[in-house]
Amino acid sequence: MKLKCIIFDVDGTMADTERNGHRVAFNLAFQETHLDWYWNEELYGQLLNVTGGKERMSYYQNDFLKKNTLSENEITAIHQCKTNHYVKLLKSGKIPLRKGVKNLIEQALQENIKLAISTTTTPVNVSTLLKATLGADSESIFDVIAAGDVILHKKPAPDIYYYTLNQLGLKAENCIAIEDSSAGLAAAFSAGIKTIITTNKYTQDQDFSNALKIYPNLGTVNTQSLNQFIGENHV
Ligand code: XBP
Ligand code: MG
């Protein structure tokens, strides 16, 4: 079996975006829209169990506050405000790629291994992160960028990975997914894709029993090790 594609998750995997990125953007949006919500680092870590920013806001009001303050439309509007703040943060260059990500991408390109993205975050967040960290036309190095509401059921549902495989025209067994969370692992694993994990402070204590291997970052990961996982020694 040959490795044909590396599928990257984004938040927590390609970059450490949650604590000082998404969380800060949410709080700026709450402030701007005069909503008396504030997500501190600890609370946000708990809310991260719900993937999708809009879904996270609904969960917070319905299950945490147990109040039905905001309508779906109001949540969508506040989430758009959050995205605007998040994009500004990314453009400021404050959120770099994690260790080893750029190197692995460059190695895959040299070896004609396709690249794809399967993420829960909003598409503009992906394009802005890629442009800010890999250059103006870096989106084109990814054969597929599957993000946000392109599917109905977000991670841990496998939908985003099935969508990515379909768009790639590849079988699960020829791909490796790189994730940071148990929800992301569950999604890729359910889609039959072998997955490696790179942990971060928010996810390091989660259950990764279905992962091929767990790394603190991608600094020691290369296409040779990924090929071995697929079952073919790198020639
Ligand atoms: C992580 C998520 C996203 C982000 C926030 O995505 O669950 O919802 O936390 O982004 P992944 P949005 O790990 O799959 O990259 O507010 O745009 O949803
Ligand atoms: Mg993630």
Side-chain angles (χ1 to χ4, degrees), residues 13 24 34 75 81 83 99 131 146 152 192-193 203 213 224:
T13 300
V24 171
H34 311 295
I75 284 180
C81 176
T83 300
K99 188 176 174 186
K131 287 181 186 133
L152 193 58
I193 304 171
T203 65
K213 196 160 178 182
Q224 185 175 1

Side-chain angles (χ1 to χ4, degrees), residues 20 73 163 194 197:
N20 300 319
N73 287 343
Y163 175 89
K194 292 182 177 167
I197 292 290

Side-chain angles (χ1 to χ4, degrees), residues 115 117 123-124 126-131 134-145:
L115 293 163
I117 283 175
V124 68
V126 184
S127 50
T128 309
L129 175 71
L130 294 178
K131 287 181 186 133
L134 291 170
D137 55 0
S138 55
E139 285 177 87
S140 61
I141 65 175
F142 294 86
D143 287 69
V144 172
I145 297 178

Side-chain angles (χ1 to χ4, degrees), residues 167-188:
Q167 294 291 310
L168 283 165
L170 292 177
K171 291 197 184 99
E173 52 264 38
N174 289 114
C175 302
I176 286 248
I178 305 179
E179 274 280 355
D180 72 305
S181 68
S182 54
L185 171 60

Side-chain angles (χ1 to χ4, degrees), residues 9-13 18 155 179-181:
D9 162 56
V10 174
D11 295 306
T13 300
E18 295 291 359
K155 299 175 186 176
E179 274 280 355
D180 72 305
S181 68

Side-chain angles (χ1 to χ4, degrees), residues 40-50 59 64 202:
N40 65 32
E41 293 189 22
E42 192 196 344
L43 168 60
Y44 191 67
Q46 294 171 54
L47 297 177
L48 271 176
N49 290 324
V50 177
Y59 170 76
F64 247 76
Y202 270 138

